[in-house]
Amino acid sequence: MKRFWVAGPLCLALIGAAYPGAAQDVAATVQARHAHFKQIGVAMKGLSEQMKSPAPSLADVRGYAQRLDELAPQLPSWFPKGSGPESGQKTHSKADVWQKPDEFAKDAAAFAAQTHKLNVAALSGNLAAVAAQAPAVSAACKTCHQAFRERED
């Protein structure tokens, strides 16, 4: 009977690991993460274009800033355990995301803080304040990318 209590959970774990649905879940997680980062990229690009415009649209600036402020705090949840390079899924994320979770969380929190400040500036209607805050958001992106993202060649 003791063998069952030891071997039973082990067999269930192996069956769960081999279940094709698990691979599909990881693939969906990686796809969703990629889609979220695309949304961040669209917002960053749109914000940049508006700020370079001779007559930026405050409504558009507010929309981009709000979207960044909504997405940034969610970022850590896009990296559940098992969704990194070891999953076999194509990802630009370094294993360091999961190996250095405290550092990753710190960098993600810094990005969220900077995007929130950007949103506050946008909501105030002060485009000069938005322009002043935008480089801090970009710097926070760059910090995380340098530490936790594989370079694309």
Side-chain angles (χ1 to χ4, degrees), residues 3-141:
R3 287 184 186 167
F4 175 77
W5 291 111
V6 173
L10 179 60
C11 287
L12 288 174
L14 290 172
I15 291 168
Y19 177 67
Q24 289 173 347
D25 289 346
V26 173
T29 297
V30 172
Q31 282 182 325
R33 178 168 63 222
H34 184 75
H36 292 311
F37 278 116
K38 282 238 184 243
Q39 292 173 337
I40 287 175
V42 166
M44 291 289 287
K45 183 177 184 209
L47 180 69
S48 176
E49 289 172 354
Q50 285 298 316
M51 298 314 295
K52 289 177 185 174
S53 168
S57 162
L58 181 58
D60 288 350
V61 168
R62 283 180 171 160
Y64 294 131
Q66 179 181 2
R67 189 68 183 134
L68 290 168
D69 196 21
E70 290 168 352
L71 290 168
Q74 299 173 27
L75 198 144
S77 70
W78 303 341
F79 293 87
K81 192 172 189 162
S83 68
E86 79 287 350
S87 70
Q89 297 294 315
K90 182 179 178 185
T91 177
H92 296 293
S93 305
K94 290 182 179 178
D96 289 351
V97 169
W98 296 271
Q99 294 169 353
K100 300 176 183 180
D102 293 339
E103 188 178 325
F104 178 69
K106 180 185 73 121
D107 287 352
F111 177 64
Q114 296 304 330
T115 61
H116 184 68
K117 289 178 186 178
L118 179 77
N119 193 31
V120 169
L123 289 171
S124 77
N126 184 342
L127 290 173
V130 172
Q133 180 58 28
V137 174
S138 292
C141 273

